[in-house]
Amino acid sequence: MCMAMTGTPEGLQALLSKSGYEHFNWYEIQKSISACALCASIWEATEHDDWESGPQGVTRKPICVSATLENEPSAGFPSGGQHPLHGIQLRSLVVMIPGDDRTIHEEELYLVTAENDPASKYISGRLGSKGLSAAEIKAIHTWLKAKGISGRGDSLPQLPRRVIGISADEPTPCCLYQSQDGERAEYATLSYCWGTGAQQLTTTSSNLTDHLTALPSGLGRTILDAIHVCRKIGMRFLWVDALCIIQDDDDDKIDQIARMGSIYKCSTLTIVAACAEKVTDGFLRSDPFRSEAYTSMAPPPALPHFELPVFIDESTFGTTYLRFENLDRTYASDEPLFKRGWTFQELMLSPRALIFDSRHITVKSPGFAFEPLVETHVTFQTECPELPAAVFDRREDKSDVHTTKKSNIYDQHRIWSQIIQEYSGRNLTFFTDRLPALAGVAAELARVWDDIYLAGLWRRTLVQHLAWHISPRGSPAWDGLSED
């Protein structure tokens, strides 16, 4: 029944009709839920709603499904030998439950398909892709030129102490590169989850010399994917903490961790492996529905969960995926990286970020909202607040970065409260990391705000940070003290 809805000419014509496509009734759909995931989801979404009923029980009227269109045909619906969707693109399916006179219940199923699928001619929504296609590579270069590199000023950033040197040729092994004092070049940083247990491969005092010659095989999939991204976009250097910090050298660790805020802030871009739970997972998936990583875990809520055939002609069928979520709803907090404490400041301090989530590639730029690299069926939103623009000012003379020494106390309190609220919801392997994992953000804000950081609080807004009150039950959430 579900497959015929979009997989036959008759089903498509019924979807476009005034009465809609007749599906199962209340009794029939309960028999099909064990064999059809879409029927099961429709039943789960509607079983407790007000179906029309009377002395004989629930009505036997069928569920009706109708289509919403992205572009209405100017000359009426096609007829004759034309395809039922000729000149039309479907946006969603509306599932209408037979209700009593007072109730009209609807569930909307949003449709998406792959860019290269035959159904793309008739379905407006697009699946995200993370296979680094030619179109995506071109979009990355366009983004960097329009919102990134062109606004960096004349001077190149100073290279961190060590970076991974990446050759243009795929077979050529990478090596650790020890930069010279004051050496400047474009470089990328990687923000990712290490995962439980030890890294597969790290730089230590014993293998540093070998790594400066060539990095061995056995790098984690996430790191290999990041190297692949750098090769594709022509980035010569990549900073990865596990390899660019000597992990058994306490002096080097203390020094480099103290510089991490600056390392991310000055990078050309940060590659964010949002969907990878551990370093062995990787984040480049051209087909998220059939990858091993996808089938081994529950899909994020914003991913389409069901697929149906789309009739093209007697010998050709496309595929459309369906989901219940609204187009504008996103689930950034469900991504593994957005649950970790250390990765919070890495994203906040990155002026440009290339984010690989479970669905598509998203970009973040200073002063711009998160937006998909290539337009797809979801947008990317996060509660993570924006740092003041002055944080990313790259002038050598930082003395006049803050325009007003006595900055707005209320704004300062509000920004820091938002930061702490987001940060405190994340996980840390070691509780003692709670201040160090935010130290980079604090150092930058201390410079911009011209204020003194007091172990999680600020001198100028100390009263606002410490004040509290009890709200009456049912009252709106308190927004903090007013400026006065």
Side-chain angles (χ1 to χ4, degrees), residues 225-245:
D225 281 353
I227 291 172
H228 182 68
V229 172
C230 288
R231 277 200 173 107
K232 283 286 188 179
I233 65 176
M235 190 66 60
R236 292 180 52 218
F237 299 110
L238 171 67
W239 188 88
V240 180
D241 54 2
L243 296 171
C244 298
I245 300 175

Side-chain angles (χ1 to χ4, degrees), residues 105-227:
H105 184 89
E106 297 180 353
E107 288 288 346
E108 192 164 6
L109 297 168
Y110 296 92
L111 306 180
V112 292
T113 190
E115 185 66 44
N116 57 355
D117 193 279
S120 62
K121 183 177 181 180
Y122 303 120
I123 305 294
S124 60
R126 291 291 177 268
L127 283 172
S129 168
K130 300 187 298 173
L132 287 185
S133 65
E136 289 168 331
I137 297 297
K138 181 180 179 181
I140 292 173
H141 284 296
T142 301
W143 164 65
L144 286 173
K145 183 177 181 180
K147 297 179 180 178
I149 304 304
S150 60
R152 291 171 62 89
D154 298 329
S155 61
L156 292 171
Q158 186 168 314
L159 280 177
R161 178 178 296 172
R162 300 176 200 90
V163 287
I164 298 173
I166 301 173
S167 60
D169 300 326
E170 192 74 43
T172 307
C174 299
C175 66
L176 207 58
Y177 176 76
Q178 190 102 19
S179 64
Q180 305 298 314
D181 288 342
E183 184 176 356
R184 294 178 178 272
E186 304 286 359
Y187 68 94
T189 47
L190 175 64
S191 178
Y192 69 112
C193 297
W194 280 42
T196 56
Q199 278 266 351
Q200 280 188 308
L201 182 66
T202 61
T203 295
T204 62
S205 302
S206 60
N207 63 21
L208 174 60
T209 302
D210 292 336
H211 285 189
L212 290 170
T213 302
L215 290 174
S217 59
L219 292 176
R221 184 74 249 170
T222 297
I223 298 175
L224 290 174
D225 281 353
I227 291 172

Side-chain angles (χ1 to χ4, degrees), residues 251-307:
D251 291 338
D252 191 69
K253 286 182 70 173
I254 291 172
D255 177 75
Q256 290 298 288
I257 289 175
R259 298 173 187 265
M260 280 180 66
S262 176
I263 289 173
Y264 280 93
K265 190 185 75 167
C266 295
S267 66
T268 302
L269 79 158
T270 295
I271 299 168
V272 180
C275 62
E277 192 168 358
K278 52 188 182 296
V279 70
T280 54
D281 284 350
F283 56 84
L284 290 178
R285 304 172 192 165
S286 57
D287 187 349
F289 297 97
R290 292 177 174 81
S291 68
E292 181 180 346
Y294 175 83
T295 55
S296 65
M297 66 180 75
L303 265 176
H305 288 227
F306 323 106
E307 61 180 82

Side-chain angles (χ1 to χ4, degrees), residues 29 33 37-49 107 324:
I29 197 170
I33 58 177
L38 181 53
C39 284
S41 292
I42 293 174
W43 171 249
E44 183 180 353
T46 63
E47 62 170 318
H48 301 297
D49 288 297
E107 288 288 346
F324 281 100

